[in-house]
Amino acid sequence: MPMRITGLGSGMDIDTIVSDLMKAQRAPIDKLYQKKQLMEWKREDYRTLNTKIYQFRNKLFDFTLQGTFQAKKATVTSGDSVTAVSAKGSFTGSLEINVTQKATAATAVTGSIGTGIDANKTIKDLMDTGKLAAATPDSGTTYSFTINGKSISFDSATTTLNQLITRINNETNTNVYFDSASGRLAFSADETGLIDTNNDKTVDGDTIVFGSESFLVDTFMVGTATHTAAQQAKATVTSTINGLTTVENIVSNSNTITAKDVTLSIQKTGISTVSTSVDEDAIVEKIKAFIKDYNDVLSSIQEKTNEKKKRGYDPLTAEQKKAFKEEGEDIDEWQKFARAGLLRNDNILSSLATSMRMAVASEVDTGSSTYRSLASIGIETTPYVKGSKENGNLVLGDEAKLREAIRTDLDSVIAIFNHGTGADKQDGIAVRMYRDMKTAIDNLTQKAGNPNSTDDDESLSLLGNELKLLNRKLEEREVYLKKLEDKYYKQFAAMERAMSQMAAQQSQLFGAFGGGQ
């Protein structure tokens, strides 16, 4: 902005006069800026709700699947040879598990490599002082060796015994512990059962394999190590389904085994019985989560569609914000009121809220005469209160009734949510809402753009295109106002030049007629 020095000739406050003139000219453009702010707020509110609807729809998809309600639990009913970890799939019944062998890891314990060893000293220091037996280096002070096909090379002059042990633990598939009291090294495979002894990704060995390098043989004394071979877990699982008895022999490198989609953890040898059943608690919790998410989305929609416009509150202009700040007024509070009611009675959102309420209130053709709706399994809707955002919210009014339905007719409970294919009014409530929400999401995206989009792609939505046109109009108006302001200043500058010339002429005339004598 150019620096202007005005009013020297006239003594008038030209800046204030021009500012007042421009205020009148800026009034229409301030209205456009307020309109722009309202449109941006409206787009933001649309996008916020669209995101919430989209997230709920993703969760809703799970309720259209049969597997969501197939939660199972496994319980050990006798014996202590196994513990039940989890159960899934369709199997319901009992398993007899006869554990004949528990999986163990391969181990190797060396003879004493020395006593009084300070493991924080370098290998070279320990060798030089006779605390560790000397070995033949590869070159200089460098040694290398292999354990189960994994190679390690180190400089004994800079590597301590503790550092070397850490490298073995990190770089091989074994773990080693140094007992300073006895001077012995205890190696153990990282995993139970067969191990990879050649570094070829094949688990085919049951003992730790040490290389023949001098450091391992002469210093770590692995040649005299006592080896214990690994064992695989072995169990026989007997199950009976609809009178059909099957026997499965399981051999596993791990003590965690799976039979009939039941995951078990072997504790010891022996016989245990495990029963599987519907996990009633898990299903109830999933339905409670559905109720919570449904209420959250519906309340958020109705809060906006019921919200009334606050009369007398328009978005603040830049000048008004400046005045508010100087006077200590709460700008955020004013803007909050100015933003209210932008989505009141919005057709897209109101239609979605209606369809959601209808879906949860409708009956579904489940094939049962008892369980055909949410109300029949103890889930109720809140009473209607005019203007309340909680109208149509769900409440688990009778949890005992829900649990009874799950125990006695789980298929009908499932059908209430996921019956049908998404093309019929008798579809399950999750199927119907999943379909209706897709329509709402598409309409909201067309109206306000993708929630994850930026302002650079404004023209991809109706509101975005309107904002683009409005911004262009504002740019044109700003150019016009700048030219008008310059014009005012030029006019006042010309006036001041004329006044200065007039004053000079008066002074000359005054002097010519003997003024002042």
Side-chain angles (χ1 to χ4, degrees):
M1 178 181 290
M3 179 179 291
R4 295 186 175 97
I5 301 176
T6 59
L8 293 179
S10 63
M12 299 169 64
D13 188 351
I14 303 301
D15 287 335
T16 299
I17 294 173
V18 172
S19 176
D20 290 340
L21 288 170
M22 291 305 298
K23 282 181 181 178
Q25 295 294 333
R26 282 204 67 87
I29 199 172
D30 283 342
K31 290 291 184 183
L32 290 180
Y33 274 113
Q34 289 174 322
K35 181 180 180 181
K36 177 185 175 182
Q37 180 66 84
L38 289 172
M39 289 172 66
E40 288 175 338
W41 281 342
K42 190 172 187 177
R43 182 175 65 174
E44 185 179 324
D45 287 348
Y46 272 133
R47 288 181 174 183
T48 298
L49 283 176
N50 203 7
T51 297
K52 181 166 286 192
I53 294 165
Y54 179 81
Q55 291 171 343
F56 177 58
R57 185 172 184 265
N58 284 344
K59 294 179 181 179
L60 203 59
F61 177 73
D62 290 340
F63 283 85
T64 68
L65 304 176
Q66 193 84 359
T68 299
F69 298 90
Q70 297 290 357
K72 297 291 179 65
K73 63 179 178 180
T75 307
V76 178
T77 55
S78 67
D80 56 2
S81 62
V82 298
T83 58
V85 178
S86 64
K88 59 182 181 179
S90 59
F91 176 76
T92 300
S94 64
L95 303 172
E96 182 186 85
I97 302 98
N98 182 8
V99 179
T100 57
Q101 185 168 283
K102 185 177 179 181
T104 59
T107 63
V109 180
T110 70
S112 177
I113 64 172
T115 56
I117 293 175
D118 183 353
N120 289 315
K121 289 188 175 182
T122 65
I123 303 293
K124 185 177 184 302
D125 285 344
L126 294 173
M127 286 181 173
D128 289 345
T129 56
K131 293 294 184 179
L132 279 179
T136 303
D138 296 344
S139 63
T141 56
T142 300
Y143 296 84
S144 64
F145 58 84
T146 59
I147 299 177
N148 286 339
K150 298 286 185 72
S151 297
I152 290 180
S153 179
F154 68 96
D155 184 351
S156 63
T158 57
T159 304
T160 67
L161 178 58
N162 273 340
Q163 289 172 336
L164 182 58
I165 288 172
T166 298
R167 287 193 60 190
I168 292 172
N169 292 341
N170 292 337
E171 299 175 29
T172 73
N173 58 353
T174 59
N175 185 280
V176 61
Y177 166 72
F178 174 60
D179 180 29
S180 59
S182 66
R184 304 176 78 185
L185 294 166
F187 291 84
S188 176
D190 287 343
E191 305 289 341
T192 58
L194 300 182
I195 57 176
D196 178 2
T197 59
N198 298 306
N199 194 26
D200 61 359
K201 310 300 182 184
T202 303
V203 286
D204 53 6
D206 61 359
T207 58
I208 296 173
V209 176
F210 296 107
S212 59
E213 296 85 2
S214 175
F215 184 81
L216 286 181
V217 175
D218 299 326
T219 304
F220 269 10
M221 309 295 289
V222 300
T224 59
T226 301
H227 287 264
T228 301
Q231 290 189 156
Q232 293 178 295
K234 295 181 179 180
T236 301
V237 179
T238 304
S239 61
T240 302
I241 305 175
N242 297 329
L244 176 63
T245 299
T246 60
V247 178
E248 180 181 2
N249 293 314
I250 296 176
V251 178
S252 170
N253 285 320
S254 168
N255 282 311
T256 299
I257 62 173
T258 300
K260 300 298 182 185
D261 287 330
V262 179
T263 302
L264 305 165
S265 177
I266 293 176
Q267 304 299 309
K268 63 180 184 179
T269 59
I271 299 175
S272 293
T273 302
V274 175
S275 65
T276 64
S277 59
V278 172
D279 191 342
E280 181 183 310
D281 291 336
I283 295 174
V284 169
E285 288 306 312
K286 286 179 181 179
I287 291 176
K288 285 181 177 179
F290 163 79
I291 292 172
K292 180 179 180 298
D293 292 334
Y294 170 89
N295 289 345
D296 181 44
V297 172
L298 184 63
S299 294
S300 296
I301 292 172
Q302 293 182 152
E303 181 179 21
K304 286 298 183 181
T305 56
N306 292 340
E307 187 178 44
K308 294 181 180 179
K309 178 71 177 175
K310 302 287 186 182
R311 296 189 180 279
Y313 289 91
D314 293 318
L316 296 174
T317 64
E319 287 294 323
Q320 289 171 331
K321 287 180 181 178
K322 182 179 178 182
F324 265 55
K325 191 171 182 180
E326 290 174 352
E327 296 171 9
E329 298 288 342
D330 192 336
I331 294 176
D332 292 338
E333 186 72 11
W334 180 281
Q335 298 289 68
K336 177 183 175 182
F337 290 147
R339 188 169 184 161
L342 292 178
L343 302 183
R344 180 170 175 79
N345 296 328
D346 179 80
N347 182 58
I348 299 172
L349 297 172
S350 296
S351 295
L352 178 59
T354 298
S355 69
M356 289 174 67
R357 293 194 300 265
M358 288 178 63
V360 298
S362 300
E363 284 197 350
V364 179
D365 184 11
T366 63
S368 167
S369 60
T370 304
Y371 303 120
R372 300 175 61 86
S373 65
L374 290 182
S376 68
I377 59 173
I379 302 173
E380 307 163 355
T381 55
T382 56
Y384 176 80
V385 177
K386 185 177 181 180
S388 173
K389 69 176 184 178
E390 296 180 356
N391 283 332
N393 275 10
L394 298 176
V395 179
L396 181 54
D398 192 341
E399 185 171 328
K401 193 174 183 179
L402 172 61
R403 289 181 178 275
E404 176 68 17
I406 293 171
R407 283 193 296 268
T408 60
D409 193 353
L410 179 58
D411 287 342
S412 292
V413 174
I414 296 173
I416 289 173
F417 287 91
N418 69 12
H419 174 73
T421 60
D424 190 273
K425 291 183 178 180
Q426 284 296 308
D427 286 334
I429 61 173
V431 175
R432 290 181 62 179
M433 281 195 287
Y434 188 78
R435 176 190 61 220
D436 294 342
M437 284 186 168
K438 175 64 167 61
T439 301
I441 289 170
D442 289 345
N443 289 337
L444 289 172
T445 300
Q446 183 181 23
K447 184 94 171 180
N450 190 300
N452 298 318
S453 65
T454 65
D455 291 338
D456 294 333
D457 49 15
E458 287 177 334
S459 60
L460 298 180
S461 67
L462 296 175
L463 276 175
N465 193 54
E466 289 181 29
L467 279 167
K468 188 176 182 179
L469 295 175
L470 184 57
N471 282 329
R472 187 179 302 166
K473 189 172 183 179
L474 283 168
E475 289 173 3
E476 293 171 354
R477 292 293 299 172
E478 288 289 0
V479 170
Y480 166 76
L481 289 180
K482 179 66 175 63
K483 289 181 178 179
L484 183 61
E485 184 181 52
D486 290 342
K487 177 182 176 182
Y488 283 148
Y489 273 112
K490 287 178 181 178
Q491 289 175 337
F492 279 108
M495 180 195 73
E496 290 203 330
R497 285 196 300 271
M499 292 179 68
S500 294
Q501 291 173 356
M502 184 181 296
Q505 291 173 353
Q506 288 177 343
S507 178
Q508 289 176 354
L509 290 172
F510 187 69
F513 288 99
Q517 296 186 7

